[in-house]
Amino acid sequence: MSPLGMGFAFGPDLYSTDDGGRTWNRAELPGEGQQVLALAVSGHKVQIAVSACGIATPDYECGQPTTLWRSPTWPMVFGLEPLWTQADLQLPANYNVQLDAKGRTAYLSMRRHYPRPDLLYATTNGWSWSQRPSPCEKSQALNRTLVDVAPISPDRVGVLCLSDAGWSKSTKTVFRSGDTARTYEPAGTAPRRGLRSHLAAAPSGALLITSTAIGSLMYLNDGGQSWSSVFERPGPGFNDPVFTTSSDGYVIHSPASRAGGPGEVLVTHDGGKTWAAL
């Protein structure tokens, strides 16, 4: 949601609001789209990844490529249909797609099963995309999966890789890039506890991992390669961790869609060191 009250909701349909969420308008999907898989706003453009298959069809039975579309945001501000343009990007049929953006820079990541490598693309102008190397090595010896991308600034980004998954634990390896994911440097490995994980980044460069084990966990990296545990509470995990400034951040704890949780919003005002219910 922007400070002007504009926002989007998706999955499987696409909705937009221009009054802070009081009312919502359903938008037609482009092409032969049946569901929106991912969405991000970069600059004044909204980017969506779309599948031509419905939610009842598994991606391995889909047979139709995932497509990427963009539209300026202004038509939806005035309640008009988006002006979709398809990106010149060839993607396989895969529902494990994520879009993340900061300013004009946006990233599209796609998780794939071994031995197929994960895919990562970036745009720095909102319309021209190019492939980037994934730091998550896939081999018989080290099968890492790219699970999240967290832009720090238009040039800097964090990438989370998951490997060696076991009962409520996994190896969570993080990398930083200062050149829109062209090259990387290690950002350390978070503690093993926790399986399903997300990565969030503050403008300061701090990185936060939210993870789920038997309970809900958070790990913080203030810089360098060291990670510390900053939060632990019962409940089935988190959704949508985000920093709005270097100090302020939010996350949904124990979402209602997962095991009937309360869906409470937690907030931090010290860069992720402490959290409290909003």
Side-chain angles (χ1 to χ4, degrees):
M1 194 78 66
S2 76
L4 299 177
M6 184 177 180
F8 300 92
F10 71 94
D13 295 320
L14 175 63
Y15 293 86
S16 66
T17 179
D18 59 4
D19 57 10
R22 294 178 181 85
T23 60
W24 293 86
N25 298 308
R26 184 178 180 274
E28 292 295 324
L29 300 187
E32 299 179 355
Q34 296 296 308
Q35 60 171 318
V36 178
L37 304 172
L39 179 149
V41 177
S42 58
H44 296 289
K45 299 180 180 67
V46 57
Q47 310 268 2
I48 59 172
V50 173
S51 173
C53 297
I55 59 175
T57 303
D59 56 3
Y60 57 83
E61 294 181 0
C62 179
Q64 299 293 323
T66 299
T67 54
L68 182 65
W69 301 78
R70 69 180 183 274
S71 171
T73 54
W74 66 262
M76 286 164 277
V77 173
F78 296 102
L80 304 175
E81 285 296 325
L83 302 175
W84 296 117
T85 301
Q86 186 173 356
D88 185 17
L89 197 59
Q90 303 298 315
L91 297 170
N94 191 319
Y95 295 169
N96 295 314
V97 184
Q98 184 170 315
L99 284 164
D100 300 276
K102 179 72 73 171
R104 291 180 176 272
T105 302
Y107 300 90
L108 182 146
S109 56
M110 180 179 284
R111 302 191 305 275
R112 302 201 293 177
H113 295 297
Y114 175 83
R116 296 175 298 172
D118 300 320
L119 299 178
L120 181 61
Y121 296 87
T123 178
T124 57
N125 56 22
W127 58 272
S128 177
W129 292 80
S130 59
Q131 191 165 3
R132 299 288 198 263
S134 168
C136 307
E137 177 186 349
K138 280 188 180 290
S139 66
Q140 288 185 331
L142 186 62
N143 184 14
R144 288 174 173 166
T145 298
L146 194 167
V147 297
D148 212 349
V149 175
I152 301 167
S153 70
D155 295 320
R156 302 167 64 203
V157 65
V159 177
L160 172 62
C161 309
L162 208 68
S163 62
D164 193 22
W167 181 256
S168 292
K169 61 181 65 175
S170 61
T171 299
K172 295 171 278 294
T173 308
V174 184
F175 296 86
R176 287 188 181 92
S177 173
D179 55 8
T180 64
R182 290 180 172 87
T183 61
Y184 300 93
E185 62 181 22
T189 301
R192 284 269 297 161
R193 284 188 64 204
L195 188 57
R196 185 178 183 271
S197 300
H198 300 278
L199 182 68
S204 64
L207 299 172
L208 179 81
I209 291 176
T210 62
S211 196
T212 304
I214 303 174
S216 308
L217 310 165
M218 289 189 197
Y219 303 112
L220 182 67
N221 179 320
D222 270 336
Q225 299 190 42
S226 297
W227 291 84
S228 58
S229 177
V230 295
F231 183 93
E232 181 172 350
R233 183 179 291 182
F238 301 95
N239 262 19
D240 305 312
V242 63
F243 283 96
T244 54
T245 69
S246 291
S247 300
D248 299 335
Y250 303 87
V251 67
I252 300 173
H253 174 244
S254 194
S257 62
R258 200 177 308 145
E264 64 178 343
V265 177
L266 303 181
V267 61
T268 180
H269 296 298
D270 56 10
K273 296 180 178 65
T274 60
W275 294 80
L278 183 63

